[in-house]
Amino acid sequence: LPVSSTGHMILVEEFLKFQDEQFSQMFLVVVQLGAILAVVLLFWSRIWPFRFTKRERGESIIDWKIMQMWFKIIVACLPAAIVGILFDDWVFYNAYVVAGALIVYGILFIIVENWNKGRKPAITSVTEIGYDTALIIGIFQLLAAVVPGTSRSGATIIGALLLGVARGAA
């Protein structure tokens, strides 16, 4: 589900009021790490580019289609990383901004999903996504870098759908 784990953690902190700053930071790390590990375990065979077993003679140890996907992911992350590093101090990390973003982007997601129904996608697979499209999709991540409570995955999915990428590939 494209939800902002950081946004939800900000809301949890608002209600639970952690007294110990170190505990609060560790809590955020553990929750985020758990979510990341769950995704990695679930999609391991689709994201790990190295093949050490069941290879045909002369076949590469590296799955270059998966490596290309990783290169495109890096390109897509560059805009948000640059803006996030440069303007992190200007972002408003408070419960009201997060709650508003969760609502607004939740509604936006429903609107884009409904608009996208019945449309024939121009790009139907991840391998068809070019570096230029990956960069534009990455620019949509800026929504998450600037407004806490915006899901990075949700922003990239919305961006990809608006660019004509099929839902599964988005």
Side-chain angles (χ1 to χ4, degrees):
L1 292 174
V3 295
S4 171
S5 56
T6 304
H8 282 85
M9 297 314 311
I10 291 170
L11 292 177
V12 165
E13 280 186 280
E14 182 70 22
F15 291 106
L16 294 182
K17 303 286 187 196
F18 295 124
Q19 300 300 320
D20 184 4
E21 182 66 27
Q22 287 181 335
F23 173 80
S24 175
Q25 293 301 316
M26 181 56 80
F27 181 74
L28 291 173
V29 168
V30 169
V31 169
Q32 297 273 8
L33 184 61
I36 291 167
L37 286 176
V39 170
V40 169
L41 288 174
L42 184 64
F43 292 104
W44 182 256
S45 65
R46 294 169 72 184
I47 64 173
W48 184 249
F50 304 105
R51 304 290 182 244
F52 299 110
T53 60
K54 296 183 182 178
R55 289 185 300 129
E56 298 292 324
R57 184 169 176 85
E59 188 178 9
S60 175
I61 197 168
I62 299 171
D63 185 331
W64 287 104
K65 287 183 180 180
I66 295 176
M67 286 300 289
Q68 277 191 328
M69 176 192 70
W70 279 110
F71 294 143
K72 291 172 188 175
I73 287 171
I74 291 168
V75 167
C77 289
L78 287 175
I82 292 167
V83 170
I85 290 169
L86 293 176
F87 299 105
D88 187 50
D89 293 338
W90 293 6
V91 178
F92 302 106
Y93 292 100
N94 69 56
Y96 298 108
V97 172
V98 170
L102 288 170
I103 293 167
V104 168
Y105 287 106
I107 293 169
L108 183 61
F109 208 99
I110 292 168
I111 290 169
V112 170
E113 285 282 352
N114 286 331
W115 172 76
N116 200 47
K117 281 184 185 170
R119 291 183 64 225
K120 185 172 171 43
I123 299 170
T124 58
S125 71
V126 174
T127 56
E128 293 176 25
I129 296 173
Y131 286 97
D132 55 341
T133 304
L135 184 62
I136 295 168
I137 291 170
I139 291 171
F140 278 90
Q141 278 194 71
L142 291 176
L143 298 171
V146 175
V147 183
T150 306
S151 164
R152 284 184 300 279
S153 62
T156 56
I157 291 169
I158 287 173
L161 291 175
L162 290 173
L163 293 172
V165 177
R167 191 173 197 291

